[in-house]
Amino acid sequence: MSLLGNLVSQVARSAMNPDDAQRNPVNQRTETQQTGGLGDILGSVLGGGSQAGGYSPQQNSRQADNGFGLDDIIGGLTGGSQRGGMSSGAGGLGDILGSVLGGQRTNSGFGGKGMLVAALMPMVLSWIKRNGGLSGALSKITGMGYEGQARSWMSNNEANDNLDPNEINRLFDENEIQQVAAHTGANETEVRQGLAELLPEVMNQLTPNGNLDNESEANEEIDQIISQLSSRLGNFK
């Protein structure tokens, strides 16, 4: 089953919500802060798992793909014209993100935190791929002194110990951060905050057994999502 399906589908639902910008306005945060669990930005987008049938951050509580409503999201994004034409498995997640981000580019207004997290998702996945996939990325993170945080991300029994947003430039390029800020209307402080919360949760979802037993599946899913994003938007590697 798809490792990131639940996360991507909930982010897409939030980004598509016309009330997103009003309910979760960007450019509100003036200082970054280290958070735990889903964190402020990601938690507001995902609802902390409080919605019926919504996102659950617990790895051992994943639902089957057909419970995510990916076909419903695809139908909403395409006006129903391509319903059933894209896979609701991992291969369809890039289509979903690509449609969300492609639609944002053509709209005159910016979204709120849902759109911000949608824009950060390919940035996080590309970073994992550039650093050698799941195990390579984890090795880099632990080698930078974040061993305790990385251990919490893989754990099934403890909340994520998120990164310090003020140190996120150690992992992500400043130009990338500025580009996301420009494209979404968020400020750079919120982009850093979002990355500090999203990377741990992506790692959490990619390690459902608390180890690297499914690394091949995780890396394949990342490749599929990035490939479909590249097909739709043309600028992801």
Side-chain angles (χ1 to χ4, degrees):
M1 78 184 195
S2 171
L3 297 170
L4 295 174
N6 198 356
L7 178 59
V8 171
S9 62
Q10 288 296 321
V11 169
R13 286 192 185 100
S14 178
M16 289 166 56
N17 190 324
D19 296 328
D20 179 42
Q22 287 72 38
R23 187 178 64 248
N24 298 316
V26 295
N27 293 314
Q28 294 294 306
R29 182 182 294 280
T30 58
E31 295 181 358
T32 58
Q33 60 179 349
Q34 189 162 355
T35 59
L38 291 176
D40 295 343
I41 291 179
L42 196 57
S44 69
V45 170
L46 302 176
S50 60
Q51 302 172 7
Y55 180 78
S56 172
Q58 298 301 317
Q59 295 175 319
N60 55 5
S61 299
R62 287 197 186 91
Q63 306 172 47
D65 285 351
N66 58 13
F68 295 156
L70 297 185
D71 287 339
D72 292 333
I73 296 174
I74 292 170
L77 289 168
T78 62
S81 61
Q82 298 184 33
R83 194 181 190 85
M86 289 181 276
S87 168
S88 61
L93 301 180
D95 284 315
I96 291 174
L97 280 174
S99 295
V100 169
L101 297 173
Q104 182 267 335
R105 288 180 176 183
T106 61
N107 293 334
S108 57
F110 291 108
K113 292 179 181 177
M115 187 61 71
L116 171 60
V117 175
L120 294 178
M121 184 73 70
M123 187 173 170
V124 167
L125 296 179
S126 295
W127 183 88
I128 295 173
K129 182 175 181 178
R130 287 198 308 269
N131 284 279
L134 184 58
S135 62
L138 284 168
S139 294
K140 182 176 180 67
I141 289 167
T142 56
M144 295 174 69
Y146 301 122
E147 183 176 359
Q149 286 97 322
R151 187 165 51 246
S152 75
W153 306 345
M154 295 177 66
S155 172
N156 290 331
N157 302 312
E158 59 182 299
N160 293 336
D161 182 7
N162 293 331
L163 296 171
D164 185 341
N166 295 309
E167 298 181 1
I168 208 68
N169 286 78
R170 296 183 65 191
L171 281 73
F172 294 93
D173 185 74
E174 179 66 23
N175 289 333
E176 289 183 292
I177 292 173
Q178 292 173 351
Q179 288 174 5
V180 171
H183 289 159
T184 61
N187 58 42
E188 293 181 25
T189 298
E190 282 204 310
V191 173
R192 292 187 181 91
Q193 188 77 41
L195 287 169
E197 297 171 5
L198 181 60
L199 176 60
E201 184 56 22
V202 168
M203 290 292 197
N204 179 275
Q205 293 299 308
L206 290 174
T207 54
N209 302 317
N211 53 43
L212 296 173
D213 286 352
N214 66 319
E215 180 179 10
S216 295
E217 178 188 357
N219 290 340
E220 181 179 357
E221 185 161 327
I222 290 172
D223 287 344
Q224 288 177 343
I225 294 173
I226 293 174
S227 176
Q228 291 204 340
L229 279 167
S230 297
S231 296
R232 282 183 169 264
L233 302 179
N235 63 343
F236 289 102
K237 299 178 181 179

